[in-house]
Amino acid sequence: YHRDVERIVDIILEGITEALEKGNRVELRGFGIFSVRHRPPRSGHNPRNGETVFVDDKWVPFFKAGKEMQDRLNFERS
């Protein structure tokens, strides 16, 4: 059923999120790898007024597609 699939997907995504919160990496074979990367502090610009602003350091999610996914997306289309 649709509701069962939705619940399963929510559980999987929650598990991935919890692992990333702990600093772990999650690999789904054939699909890709989820990890967390650190972005150091930097100066940036406010796009509305062009002012220089300071951007704090932060941790951001990162996804790298697996080889099988890349191969399927980049096959020779005829």
Side-chain angles (χ1 to χ4, degrees):
Y1 293 105
H2 180 75
R3 67 179 178 270
D4 294 335
V5 172
E6 189 174 317
R7 189 172 53 217
I8 291 167
V9 170
D10 286 344
I11 291 169
I12 291 169
L13 293 178
E14 182 63 28
I16 291 171
T17 302
E18 287 176 3
L20 293 177
E21 282 179 336
K22 295 176 184 175
N24 295 328
R25 168 184 117 126
V26 177
E27 179 178 348
L28 302 175
R29 300 224 180 235
F31 185 73
I33 299 169
F34 295 90
S35 61
V36 179
R37 291 197 174 171
H38 181 255
R39 295 255 171 100
R42 62 184 174 84
S43 62
H45 295 283
N46 182 333
R48 290 190 176 177
N49 57 23
E51 288 182 10
T52 300
V53 294
F54 180 77
V55 180
D56 290 329
D57 66 327
K58 58 185 164 184
W59 293 91
V60 295
F62 180 77
F63 175 75
K64 181 175 186 214
K67 183 175 180 349
E68 184 178 324
M69 178 184 275
Q70 288 182 13
D71 290 346
R72 289 181 67 175
L73 294 175
N74 293 302
F75 73 95
E76 202 59 41
R77 293 188 167 112
S78 41

